[in-house]
């Protein structure tokens, strides 16, 4: 059987080159080797307040970016989480087998809760909903970044607990894809991962940034006190710029060394900016074409939800039967 890959992304903030080089670009490359489901998790996004109009447009923006980046909708499913009611339904059923103590240990909950004045219960339940996303489709592989590993581990724990209470029901998801993405760091702060939610104009290059802005952000990137590229002694800022270039170009280490050794930082940045702009240009062009035809985009989302709904509904039905919950007789 073809392994099923599932991943999710929140429709908040702006997709950036870190998302592309670390995840989306790889999904595009490997999508045909798997049965792929890419979820736009709007129910997760509302665990912190979102302006309704922005949320509405973000979902479509992300879907269009997936397509523009090369996700093939005839093969891979792009699914808006809320369009498949089974996500929320399974989340409740799983909530009832999840000890609060497990959720209290989640470091992301602790960090997010500390940043909120009023902490919604949704924020606490966030990892259960994520477990539901994954277990609903019996996904085999869930490619996520380091920051989501604890949530994935929890999904496995919940699956295991359910299986032992009610009998074998859920597949255990693994994490790794054969292709490991680049880890792109913040351009203003090269010791922390580039983030969708970080504010500050010099932090990230968004996939939809115009060329002048891309150039400006990269030219202002933090480097170190050296003046030219030295592969032995470079700091995290220079390393990050080289990483970005290499991930976009697919150059070998030898090619990178031969080309960049001794290069002045200003010239390095110029070349990273040019490379980035040239790689984002075709994506931006396709994005413009796709968003010019809203009916097309709607049809992709509709098809995606329709295609996965039978699997999702079958899982919920099985879970209900196992738990003794009422199910309508067919
Ligand atoms: N929590 C993930 C993040 O913020 C997004 C997510 C939601 C997800 N559901 C998922 C990722 C299911 C993988 C699988 O990055």
């Amino acid at each position: 059987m073809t392994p099923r890959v599932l991943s999710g992304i929140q429709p908040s903030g702006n997709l950036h080159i870190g998302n592309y080089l670390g995840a989306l670009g790889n999904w595009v490359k490997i999508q045909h080797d798997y049965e792929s489901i890419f979820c736009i998790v709007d129910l997760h996004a509302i665990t912190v307040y979102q302006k309704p109009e922005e949320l509405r447009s973000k979902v479509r923006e992300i879907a269009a970016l997936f397509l523009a980046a090369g996700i093939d909708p005839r093969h891979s499913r792009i699914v808006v989480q809320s369009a498949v009611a089974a996500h929320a339904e399974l989340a409740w059923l799983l909530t009832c087998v999840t000890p609060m103590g497990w959720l209290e240990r989640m470091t992301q909950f602790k960090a997010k809760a500390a940043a909120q004045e009023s902490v919604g219960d949704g924020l606490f339940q966030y990892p259960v909903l994520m477990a539901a996303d994954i277990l609903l489709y019996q996904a085999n592989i869930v490619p996520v970044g380091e920051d989501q590993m604890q949530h994935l581990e929890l999904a496995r724990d919940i699956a295991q607990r359910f299986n032992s209470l009610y009998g074998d029901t859920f597949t255990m998801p693994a994490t790794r894809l054969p292709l490991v993405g680049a880890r792109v760091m913040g351009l203003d702060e090269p010791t922390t991962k580039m983030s969708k939610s970080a504010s500050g104009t010099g932090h990230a290059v968004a996939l939809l940034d115009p060329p002048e802005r891309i150039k400006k952000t990269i030219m202002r990137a933090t480097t170190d006190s050296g003046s030219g590229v030295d592969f032995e002694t470079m700091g995290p800022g220079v390393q990050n710029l080289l990483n970005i270039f290499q991930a976009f170009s697919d150059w070998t280490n030898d090619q990178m060394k031969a080309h960049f050794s001794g290069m002045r930082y200003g010239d390095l940045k110029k070349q990273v900016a040019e490379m980035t702009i040239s790689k984002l240009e075709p994506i931006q062009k396709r994005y413009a074409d796709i968003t010019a035809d809203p009916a097309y985009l709607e049809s992709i989302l509709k098809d995606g939800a329709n295609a996965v709904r039978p699997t999702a509904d079958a899982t919920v039905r099985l879970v209900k039967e196992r738990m003794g919950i009422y199910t309508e007789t067919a």
Side-chain angles (χ1 to χ4, degrees):
M1 231 178 67
T2 315
R4 187 174 285 158
V5 174
L6 179 138
S7 199
I9 188 146
Q10 291 197 53
S12 57
N14 292 319
L15 279 193
H16 53 59
I17 57 172
N19 300 125
Y20 181 75
L21 295 173
L24 183 54
N26 280 349
W27 298 347
V28 169
K29 282 185 200 158
I30 54 101
Q31 61 182 327
H32 290 103
D33 301 335
Y34 299 92
E35 197 189 304
S36 318
I37 301 175
F38 302 115
C39 275
I40 303 171
V41 294
D42 52 349
L43 298 175
H44 276 108
I46 57 167
T47 56
V48 297
Y49 177 79
Q50 304 291 330
K51 293 203 181 89
E53 275 320 309
E54 277 174 26
L55 181 58
R56 225 188 308 276
S57 62
K58 266 293 160 192
V59 166
R60 289 171 177 84
E61 179 188 304
I62 303 249
L65 273 172
F66 278 7
L67 293 171
I71 296 290
D72 171 6
R74 282 159 309 177
H75 175 78
S76 307
R77 300 305 173 190
I78 300 176
V79 177
V80 181
Q81 185 185 35
S82 61
V84 179
H87 285 259
E89 199 173 5
L90 182 61
W92 174 257
L93 298 168
L94 296 180
T95 290
C96 297
V97 301
T98 306
M100 284 178 69
W102 290 4
L103 298 176
E104 279 159 359
R105 281 203 296 275
M106 294 294 115
T107 55
Q108 195 167 77
F109 169 71
K110 287 191 263 189
K112 284 188 182 175
Q116 302 290 315
E117 265 173 53
S118 156
V119 179
D121 186 38
L123 208 51
F124 193 59
Q125 303 297 336
Y126 180 113
V128 184
L129 180 58
M130 179 165 158
D133 297 340
I134 296 165
L135 302 177
L136 197 52
Y137 301 106
Q138 310 281 10
N140 305 101
I141 302 174
V142 182
V144 290
E146 205 53 53
D147 61 320
Q148 294 299 311
M149 287 305 250
Q150 196 187 28
H151 287 162
L152 192 61
E153 215 35 68
L154 184 87
R156 293 161 56 90
D157 288 343
I158 292 174
Q160 204 144 43
R161 189 170 158 93
F162 189 97
N163 287 350
S164 77
L165 284 171
Y166 296 109
D168 239 357
T169 306
F170 293 120
T171 306
M172 284 298 154
T175 53
R176 289 284 168 229
L177 279 172
L179 216 56
V180 176
R183 191 172 147 83
V184 177
M185 313 302 277
L187 289 162
D188 55 343
E189 174 67 78
T191 50
T192 59
K193 198 174 144 185
M194 189 175 280
S195 154
K196 226 152 35 85
S197 49
S199 48
T201 48
H203 180 75
V205 171
L207 296 184
L208 294 175
D209 277 351
E212 321 80 70
R213 189 184 165 118
I214 295 174
K215 185 152 189 213
K216 209 161 150 188
T217 308
I218 292 177
M219 294 309 290
R220 281 195 313 205
T222 304
T223 48
D224 52 48
S225 55
S227 59
V229 177
D230 180 338
F231 279 81
E232 305 305 315
T233 62
M234 65 187 164
V238 175
Q239 170 89 65
N240 191 35
L241 290 166
L242 290 167
N243 244 340
I244 292 169
F245 187 99
Q246 187 168 21
F248 271 130
S249 67
D250 283 326
W251 282 15
T252 63
N253 290 343
D254 287 344
Q255 277 175 300
M256 290 295 293
K257 274 195 183 145
H259 183 77
F260 286 108
S261 284
M263 188 181 286
R264 295 206 327 266
Y265 290 165
D267 293 330
L268 164 66
K269 288 175 173 177
K270 215 183 267 166
Q271 297 206 5
V272 174
E274 276 163 19
M275 172 60 72
T276 304
I277 290 166
S278 76
K279 292 292 177 172
L280 294 189
E281 196 186 4
I283 296 176
Q284 297 182 349
K285 224 186 213 130
R286 281 194 294 270
Y287 178 84
D289 291 342
I290 291 161
T291 49
D293 185 358
Y296 169 71
L297 193 58
E298 289 310 309
S299 76
I300 296 292
L301 296 179
K302 205 169 179 174
D303 291 350
N306 286 340
V308 301
R309 209 175 274 119
T311 308
D313 288 347
T315 303
V316 167
R317 190 181 175 91
L318 176 64
V319 168
K320 284 179 165 178
E321 280 167 3
R322 290 273 153 88
M323 294 180 96
I325 292 283
Y326 169 76
T327 51
E328 264 176 56
T329 38

